[in-house]
Amino acid sequence: MGMTAEEWGIVMLSLQVSLAAICGALPLAFVLAWVLARLRFPGKILLDGLVHLPLVLPPVVIGWLLLIAFAPDGPGGRLLALFGVSVLFRWTGAAIAAAVMALPLMVRAIRLSLEAVDPRLEQAARTLGAGRARTFATITLPLASPGVLAGAVLGFARSLGEFGATITFVSNIPDETRTLPLAIYAALQLPGGDSAVWRLAALAVVLSLGALVASEALTRASGQGRGSHVL
């Protein structure tokens, strides 16, 4: 039995939320990865721990903290209110929750790719007269780009599977915040919802597996590219 129009709507909303989450989180993930990979400063271990905290905290706690932060009297809520915007119980809030949960995986993948760039290549470019910006644009970023893309794809896969923080922060609202995991959970509560669960779960497996395979392929391409430069 094929998927219903409602189920396709859930899939499209899930893709929309995941893409928005990655687009929003990627610049921050790159900056954090750069700081952790290239700089030495007091408190670096603490920053590293804070970045990876969503990996070990219960997702419900992350959702609760987001709810506090973006409530009308919270710091994020007051800031957004200046622009007449609210993310509570909206798909944009689901994207924020997904971005927070995906951020540690993205930072880790990007950090590893930056740390693997041979510093001798950057030093050679600097000795030939290239400035920091040009060295970054022509040497560092191209060599690290497969790792950056791998981190983005891995974050996308994590965003697709986000449940706990999302349902705590923005609830489970049809056509607004009900992404694939929330739709599967809702279908499990309904009598006779097994067929919908099977369809949605199978699609979730296909999308997540495809993203993981793509991330692994990009990671291997990154390693081979660095090896060819060393040779």
Side-chain angles (χ1 to χ4, degrees):
M1 183 176 177
M3 293 183 64
T4 66
E6 180 184 359
E7 290 167 351
W8 278 118
I10 291 168
V11 173
M12 296 308 296
L13 178 62
S14 299
L15 295 175
Q16 177 181 329
V17 166
S18 298
L19 287 172
I22 298 313
C23 290
L26 188 57
L28 177 59
F30 189 91
V31 171
L32 289 171
W34 176 270
V35 168
L36 293 172
R38 296 301 179 92
L39 301 182
R40 296 179 180 272
F41 54 92
K44 181 177 177 179
I45 294 179
L46 179 59
L47 176 62
D48 193 21
L50 288 172
V51 167
H52 290 87
L53 198 57
L55 289 178
V56 293
L57 272 181
V60 173
V61 173
I62 299 295
W64 174 68
L65 292 173
L66 288 172
L67 191 58
I68 292 175
F70 288 96
D73 57 345
R78 286 196 298 266
L79 178 62
L80 292 177
L82 297 175
F83 304 95
V85 175
S86 174
V87 296
L88 292 178
F89 311 115
R90 296 181 59 83
W91 75 268
T92 47
I96 290 174
V100 171
M101 298 303 296
L103 185 68
L105 296 177
M106 298 171 67
V107 170
R108 182 169 180 80
I110 298 171
R111 179 182 179 179
L112 291 174
S113 68
L114 288 171
E115 288 176 341
V117 174
D118 191 343
R120 293 173 297 180
L121 296 174
E122 297 173 318
Q123 291 167 6
R126 296 294 303 278
T127 10
L128 293 173
R132 291 184 181 274
R134 186 175 180 186
T135 300
F136 173 79
T138 59
I139 302 294
T140 310
L141 189 57
L143 289 176
S145 58
V148 175
L149 290 174
V153 175
L154 190 60
F156 178 80
R158 178 63 186 85
S159 297
L160 279 175
E162 168 48 36
F163 175 80
T166 302
I167 199 170
T168 306
F169 180 34
V170 293
S171 190
N172 185 3
I173 303 172
D175 301 323
E176 189 64 47
T177 66
R178 183 169 288 179
T179 54
L180 269 172
L182 276 67
I184 292 171
Y185 174 78
L188 283 170
Q189 313 306 309
L190 298 174
D194 290 351
S195 58
V197 171
W198 274 107
R199 289 193 297 270
L200 293 172
L203 188 57
V205 168
V206 170
L207 289 173
S208 300
L209 183 61
L212 288 173
V213 170
S215 176
E216 179 64 20
L218 287 166
T219 302
R220 293 188 180 187
S222 176
Q224 291 171 357
R226 288 191 295 268
S228 65
H229 279 285
V230 172
L231 294 174

